Amino acid sequence: MYDLYSSYKFTDLGIYECGDEECVKDKAIVLSKKDFYLLHYIVKGKGTFILNDVEYKLGKGDIFFIPKGFDAIYYPDKDDPWHYKWVGFYGEAADYFVHGAGLDENHPIIEDEDKQLRQYFDNITSRFHKTGFFDAHTIGSLYQFFGDIVHEKEGRKDVSSVRVTVELAKQFIYNNYQFDIGVVDIAKNANCAPNYLSTIFQKLEGMSTKSFLTKVRMERAMQLIESKKFKVKDIAMMVGYPNQLHFSGQFKKYYGHSPLYYLNGNNE
């Protein structure tokens, strides 16, 4: 059962860690950059959260978000130290859910006014403590958490339709880069015209839709090369290039050297 339902089987969204802590008044956390996202739900008490040089005074029902790649500081109130639960998550679709929830380094706080979101943190932490690993039930709770957040924001019309369109396109790319897809296919699945998608993609991501697709393919190709398990022609097929010569040309254009250069260890 562990092998069938464990978190590592899920590449779109996975849980890296979780916890439940009633902090002592003198416990301050200075968090260095992580390669995964973190969410903390304040069950009771108060505390201070500092991200991107902005200080937030928080209390029961507040959720604070720490983006991957950011330092953060947070500590409990000395008179009423907080008790929080946290979840660290990652995945190919993590950016999609984070953006859909309206979370970033400048907007890291969610106010759970109706106290309905705590249940997902409770479910994740209690399930982990019971089983000792993250399974389909815990992943499901994380999906439900983001579903509720996005649904609430859509009700308030706070979610940018442009951002949602771009995230839909990115999700399609992440899920299908290994196939022979192009900008037309991506735009079709994002329910918009190719030219419009490229325009908003450039605005929000700093590159065209085609460039983003190439980026995803090339980064995946490099991972496969570094594994030393595959030949160039196999890697080409695995990242959506039926023609090995075309793949090698695109790879050299992107990285400055051919795939064989890296396969032979010349980058070391």
Side-chain angles (χ1 to χ4, degrees):
M1 181 176 290
Y2 176 88
D3 185 64
L4 180 63
Y5 293 111
S6 59
S7 176
Y8 78 88
K9 293 284 188 180
F10 303 90
T11 59
D12 282 353
L13 196 62
I15 298 177
Y16 183 83
E17 65 177 26
C18 73
D20 180 352
E21 183 171 6
E22 194 156 354
C23 298
V24 297
K25 64 180 182 179
D26 296 321
K27 180 169 183 176
I29 302 293
V30 180
L31 187 74
S32 59
K33 298 178 179 65
K34 302 292 184 183
D35 59 358
F36 56 90
Y37 296 108
L38 274 166
L39 286 165
H40 288 68
Y41 187 101
I42 304 173
V43 176
K44 64 179 181 179
K46 301 174 184 177
T48 300
F49 172 58
I50 303 172
L51 179 70
N52 214 22
D53 296 323
V54 179
E55 182 177 296
Y56 303 88
K57 297 293 185 181
L58 305 175
K60 181 180 179 180
D62 288 330
I63 301 170
F64 60 94
F65 167 72
I66 304 175
K68 62 181 178 182
F70 277 80
D71 297 319
I73 299 172
Y74 46 104
Y75 52 89
D77 182 85
K78 290 188 178 300
D79 296 323
D80 187 13
W82 56 17
H83 169 195
Y84 53 59
K85 300 189 176 190
W86 77 87
V87 175
F89 63 97
Y90 62 94
E92 294 175 357
D95 288 346
Y96 171 78
F97 287 103
V98 165
H99 288 306
L103 292 167
D104 58 34
E105 66 272 20
N106 298 312
H107 304 87
I109 308 301
I110 297 173
E111 296 180 6
D112 185 18
E113 297 177 357
D114 298 327
K115 308 297 184 293
Q116 295 298 310
L117 299 175
R118 175 181 169 178
Q119 60 180 312
Y120 303 121
F121 290 80
D122 290 343
N123 292 344
I124 291 170
T125 54
S126 64
R127 181 76 180 181
F128 177 72
H129 291 155
K130 180 179 179 180
T131 65
F133 63 93
F134 301 112
D135 58 11
H137 293 279
T138 53
I139 301 298
S141 292
L142 189 58
Y143 273 109
Q144 287 181 294
F145 168 81
F146 280 112
D148 279 3
I149 293 293
V150 173
H151 178 74
E152 181 182 350
K153 290 184 71 63
E154 285 178 342
R156 298 198 307 263
K157 299 182 180 180
D158 283 344
V159 173
S160 164
S161 61
V162 171
R163 168 54 72 182
V164 170
T165 299
V166 169
E167 293 302 329
L168 284 172
K170 288 169 64 178
Q171 183 63 21
F172 180 76
I173 291 171
Y174 286 134
N175 289 337
N176 297 278
Y177 68 85
Q178 67 271 41
F179 304 114
D180 187 17
I181 62 170
V183 174
V184 173
D185 304 297
I186 299 166
K188 181 179 179 181
N189 280 271
N191 301 311
C192 66
N195 289 341
Y196 172 72
L197 180 60
S198 288
T199 298
I200 62 175
F201 221 100
Q202 183 71 46
K203 181 178 180 180
L204 295 183
E205 298 295 330
M207 66 184 75
S208 67
T209 313
K210 184 177 180 180
S211 294
F212 187 85
L213 172 60
T214 300
K215 175 178 178 289
V216 170
R217 283 172 164 167
M218 292 299 108
E219 289 179 353
R220 178 56 178 157
M222 182 60 84
Q223 291 175 347
L224 293 169
I225 287 172
E226 290 175 342
S227 74
K228 308 291 187 182
K229 295 179 179 178
F230 307 98
K231 297 179 180 179
V232 173
K233 65 177 182 179
D234 298 321
I235 294 172
M237 293 293 295
M238 293 167 74
V239 297
Y241 290 93
N243 187 310
Q244 180 181 334
L245 291 178
H246 183 206
F247 164 69
S248 294
Q250 291 294 310
F251 188 93
K252 185 174 182 179
K253 183 178 179 181
Y254 191 86
Y255 284 111
H257 295 285
S258 70
L260 281 174
Y261 176 86
Y262 292 97
L263 271 175
N264 294 332
N266 294 324
N267 60 317
E268 296 177 357

